[in-house]
């Protein structure tokens, strides 16, 4: 598990930066004066990484206003941390900054004998374009000149990406230009599942087949574009329901081949995190992300959207949304259970019944500090209702609904806030359909304000499963110079969150 924190460099970092500079470049280290100027210059952007009080890496970018070129000035990582992804994370953040500053291409120089660094830069999309003989003195080592050209769309410099989402019961098609939302159309098959009290995979897959074409046409109309304007296709290939995913993947591949456009197979859960880009232009990192839906309850630590997403915890049984559906059925409410319980809880006393908080006891915290369990809570509600009915007592549905909702919200928010505090991360992002729950939003706002944590809740249309979040993630990969996926990828119902893109 990575334990470093990356932030912008400040003047007081200079002594530590110079110590690491001499450690990494003993022969040709920069002078203190040059480094001081670089850190403070208006045209540069320097980052440092530290573990506790120890500065363990730094990197810098130069971008002169008015120029469409930028340069990686330097990058240094302590020897003990090389090969652990820190250099790639620093580079990714510098490339994101270059893109934000409207650079069209990024240049760097690297020693011809530094194969690990060359491989790193090539993995980020750089290509070797020139060689400067005996550039590094006094070693007489050649320098490779490498260049990354950012992808350009048909309109301006930002690519137009069409995203397809079909992981569960919502067919989503979204279109973005860079980080700007152009269209977000969702077709839900929820009504078809309601008589079964939950999502039926076969019904979901068939509904996607029927909905994809009209949803695609609606999205194009909303964006006032045609298929020829699209620069790339992005699609969810996992995690989710296998059959449902296959429909979206098949449609995306067909479009990619027919239009001769690159395709990006991306992770559904990471898409929920990246959607914040569509509201404020970029994702502030590091961030803790709490994703709560009918199929997933996941707690993530996101240090870098494209390269460093860590799963801290997840549900070990029922997801939160699934628990809402099952408890709604116990109370005689309709599917889906989330909004029904939210309505039923109005006027109820959340303290009327003390339902259990799964995996929150001291004995659970060592192994399951960030994991969730709602199966026991669901059973506790069912037994309470059954016991009351056996005794012939009338059931106050508002109190039961409010008490159940409070237990779910309490566990979700407490574990998420604990993660923010434990990892020193000052922001929390909520995503997933259950975020529509009013008490969850209210409690999250209260607890985050109490601990000085920034709370980010995207618009509800961007919280539920949607194609816009997939398009946004695909656009970020494309603009960062990442290679598109091949057509060999498939649907992966258990795709791990660490796999942002499937090649």
């Amino acid at each position: 598990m990575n334990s470093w924190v990356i932030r912008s460099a400040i003047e007081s970092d200079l002594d530590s930066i110079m110590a690491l500079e001499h450690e990494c470049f003993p022969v040709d280290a920069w002078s203190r004066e040059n480094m001081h100027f670089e850190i403070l210059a208006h045209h540069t952007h320097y980052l440092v990484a530290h573990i506790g009080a120890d500065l363990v890496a730094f990197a810098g970018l130069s971008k002169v206003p008015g120029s469409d070129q930028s340069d990686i000035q330097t990058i240094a990582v302590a020897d003990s941390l090389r090969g652990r992804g820190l250099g790639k994370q620093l580079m990714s953040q510098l490339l994101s900054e270059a893109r934000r500053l409207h650079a069209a291409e990024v240049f760097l120089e690297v020693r011809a004998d530094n194969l690990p660094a060359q491989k790193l830069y090539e993995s980020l999309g750089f290509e070797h374009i020139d060689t400067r003989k005996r550039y590094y003195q006094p070693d007489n080592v050649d320098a490779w000149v490498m260049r990354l050209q950012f992808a350009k769309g048909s309109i301006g410099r930002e690519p137009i990406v069409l995203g397809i989402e079909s992981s569960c019961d919502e067919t989503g098609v979204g279109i973005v230009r860079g980080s700007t939302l152009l269209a977000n159309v969702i077709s839900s098959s929820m009504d078809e599942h309601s008589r079964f009290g939950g999502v039926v995979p076969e019904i979901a897959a068939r509904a996607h087949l029927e909905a994809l074409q009209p949803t695609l046409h609606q999205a194009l109309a909303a964006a006032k574009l045609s298929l020829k304007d699209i620069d790339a296709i992005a699609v969810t290939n996992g995690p989710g329901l296998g059959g449902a995913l296959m429909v979206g993947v098949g449609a995306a591949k067909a479009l990619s081949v027919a239009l001769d456009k690159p395709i990006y197979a991306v992770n559904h859960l990471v898409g929920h995190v990246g959607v914040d880009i569509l509201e404020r232009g970029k994702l502030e990192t590091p961030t803790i992300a709490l994703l709560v839906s009918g199929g997933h309850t996941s707690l993530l630590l996101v240090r870098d959207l494209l390269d460093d997403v860590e799963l801290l915890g997840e549900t070990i049984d029922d997801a939160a949304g699934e628990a809402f559906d099952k408890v709604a059925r116990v109370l005689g409410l309709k599917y889906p259970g989330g909004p029904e319980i939210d309505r039923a809880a109005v006027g109820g006393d959340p303290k009327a019944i003390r339902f259990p908080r799964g995996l929150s006891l001291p004995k659970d915290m060592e192994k399951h500090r960030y994991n969730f369990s709602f199966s026991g809570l669901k059973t506790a509600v069912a037994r309470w209702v059954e016991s009351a009915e056996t005794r012939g007592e009338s059931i106050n549905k508002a109190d039961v609904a409010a008490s159940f909702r409070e237990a779910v919200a309490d566990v979700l928010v407490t574990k998420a806030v604990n993660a923010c505090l434990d990892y020193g991360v000052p922001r929390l992002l909520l995503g997933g359909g259950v975020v529509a729950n009013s008490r969850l939003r209210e409690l999250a706002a209260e607890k985050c304000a109490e601990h000085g944590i920034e709370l980010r809740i995207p618009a509800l249309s961007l919280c539920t499963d949607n194609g816009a979040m997939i398009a946004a993630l695909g656009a970020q990969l494309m603009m960062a110079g990442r290679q598109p996926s091949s057509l060999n990828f498939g649907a992966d119902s258990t795709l791990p969150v660490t796999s942002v893109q499937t090649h």
Side-chain angles (χ1 to χ4, degrees):
M1 181 178 66
N2 299 335
S3 55
W4 55 74
V5 174
I6 295 177
R7 59 170 173 79
S8 295
I10 56 178
E11 188 173 10
S12 60
D13 293 321
L14 182 59
D15 288 342
S16 297
I17 287 175
M18 288 308 302
L20 186 58
E21 170 78 2
H22 284 286
E23 175 187 327
C24 295
F25 311 107
V27 176
D28 51 0
W30 285 16
S31 70
R32 182 183 178 88
E33 292 74 16
N34 284 348
M35 187 68 75
H36 189 214
F37 171 80
E38 287 290 324
I39 293 173
L40 298 182
H42 293 299
H43 65 280
T44 62
H45 180 71
Y46 270 70
L47 299 172
V48 296
H50 58 89
I51 298 177
D54 297 327
L55 191 145
V56 295
F58 66 89
L61 171 84
S62 172
K63 168 64 172 67
V64 176
S67 171
D68 63 358
Q69 297 181 353
S70 60
D71 297 275
I72 300 296
Q73 297 290 83
T74 184
I75 179 169
V77 178
D79 185 65
S80 61
L81 291 174
R82 291 175 189 171
R84 291 176 52 182
L86 177 52
K88 188 172 186 178
Q89 189 176 344
L90 284 166
M91 285 292 297
S92 294
Q93 291 197 24
L94 289 182
L95 294 179
S96 295
E97 179 66 13
R99 185 76 210 191
R100 189 186 69 80
L101 295 171
H102 305 294
E105 48 191 359
V106 183
F107 294 86
L108 61 79
E109 293 162 350
V110 59
R111 289 174 65 108
D113 59 359
N114 191 344
L115 293 180
Q118 293 166 16
K119 294 295 183 184
L120 166 63
Y121 303 143
E122 288 172 347
S123 73
L124 293 170
F126 283 85
E127 59 178 343
H128 177 200
I129 61 170
D130 195 10
T131 300
R132 293 180 177 175
K133 296 295 185 181
R134 297 180 295 278
Y135 181 80
Y136 291 100
Q137 295 294 330
D139 298 337
N140 284 321
V141 174
D142 296 346
W144 274 23
V145 179
M146 304 188 75
R147 177 183 64 192
L148 167 65
Q149 292 180 303
F150 288 121
K152 295 183 180 182
S154 58
I155 301 177
R157 289 178 177 168
E158 295 185 319
I160 297 176
V161 180
L162 184 148
I164 297 175
E165 156 61 28
S166 68
S167 65
C168 192
D169 63 339
E170 282 145 340
T171 306
V173 177
I175 303 174
V176 304
R177 180 189 292 126
S179 58
T180 302
L181 177 63
L182 301 180
N184 184 29
V185 180
I186 301 170
S187 174
S188 176
S189 59
M190 188 179 298
D191 291 343
E192 298 176 54
H193 302 283
S194 60
R195 63 192 178 100
F196 300 100
V199 176
V200 180
E202 292 80 4
I203 293 177
R206 186 179 69 234
H208 287 308
L209 281 170
E210 296 171 352
L212 252 171
Q213 188 172 14
T215 306
L216 171 62
H217 289 165
Q218 289 178 52
L220 289 168
K224 296 181 174 58
L225 298 171
S226 66
L227 284 174
K228 65 179 177 62
D229 297 313
I230 302 301
D231 297 305
I233 311 296
V235 63
T236 296
N237 76 308
L241 302 176
L245 289 167
M246 289 173 65
V247 176
V249 167
K253 287 184 177 181
L255 285 171
S256 174
V257 172
L259 300 174
D260 192 25
K261 300 296 183 181
I263 188 170
Y264 292 82
V266 303
N267 191 295
H268 169 82
L269 296 180
V270 181
H272 274 299
V273 181
V275 77
D276 200 35
I277 291 171
L278 297 178
E279 291 199 334
R280 62 176 175 184
K282 66 176 182 176
L283 176 71
E284 295 287 347
T285 55
T287 187
I288 297 293
L290 174 64
L291 310 181
V292 195
S293 67
H296 302 283
T297 304
S298 306
L299 193 59
L300 312 178
L301 170 57
V302 183
R303 297 186 182 88
D304 184 274
L305 182 66
L306 305 185
D307 292 304
D308 194 347
V309 181
E310 179 182 348
L311 178 65
L312 298 181
E314 60 187 341
T315 181
I316 64 173
D317 43 54
D318 292 350
E322 186 180 0
F324 271 98
D325 293 337
K326 292 178 177 178
V327 168
R329 193 155 60 242
V330 168
L331 295 177
L333 303 174
K334 297 178 182 179
Y335 172 87
E340 290 293 317
I341 285 179
D342 220 17
R343 284 189 285 268
V346 175
D349 181 2
K351 298 180 180 179
I353 309 162
R354 175 68 184 183
F355 287 127
R357 272 66 168 162
L359 300 182
S360 294
L361 296 175
K363 66 182 180 66
D364 301 316
M365 295 303 283
E366 182 175 350
K367 184 178 180 181
H368 294 292
R369 182 170 181 80
Y370 304 122
N371 287 330
F372 304 92
S373 172
F374 297 106
S375 180
L377 170 60
K378 169 205 65 182
T379 302
V381 176
R383 287 178 176 171
W384 190 95
V385 171
E386 180 182 357
S387 177
E389 290 176 339
T390 300
R391 295 192 302 269
E393 299 175 359
S394 61
I395 297 173
N396 187 325
K397 285 188 179 181
D399 284 352
V400 176
S403 298
F404 164 74
R405 184 181 67 170
E406 189 70 16
V408 174
D410 186 14
V411 169
L412 291 171
V413 172
T414 297
K415 287 179 177 276
V417 169
N418 282 344
C420 289
L421 298 176
D422 293 345
Y423 284 87
V425 175
R427 59 190 63 87
L428 172 63
L429 172 70
L430 302 186
V434 178
V435 172
N437 185 276
S438 60
R439 181 54 183 156
L440 174 59
R441 299 162 72 98
E442 181 182 72
L443 187 60
E446 292 174 4
K447 294 296 184 181
C448 285
E450 179 183 338
H451 294 283
I453 297 169
E454 178 191 5
L455 177 64
R456 293 291 300 172
I457 307 178
L460 184 57
S461 62
L462 295 176
C463 284
T464 57
D465 293 348
N466 64 87
M469 69 185 191
I470 303 306
L473 183 53
Q476 293 301 307
L477 288 164
M478 191 176 185
M479 291 189 295
R482 303 303 170 86
Q483 292 299 308
S485 305
S486 72
L487 290 174
N488 296 324
F489 72 89
D492 187 346
S493 60
T494 59
L495 184 68
V497 73
T498 50
S499 296
V500 178
Q501 179 190 2
T502 300
H503 291 281

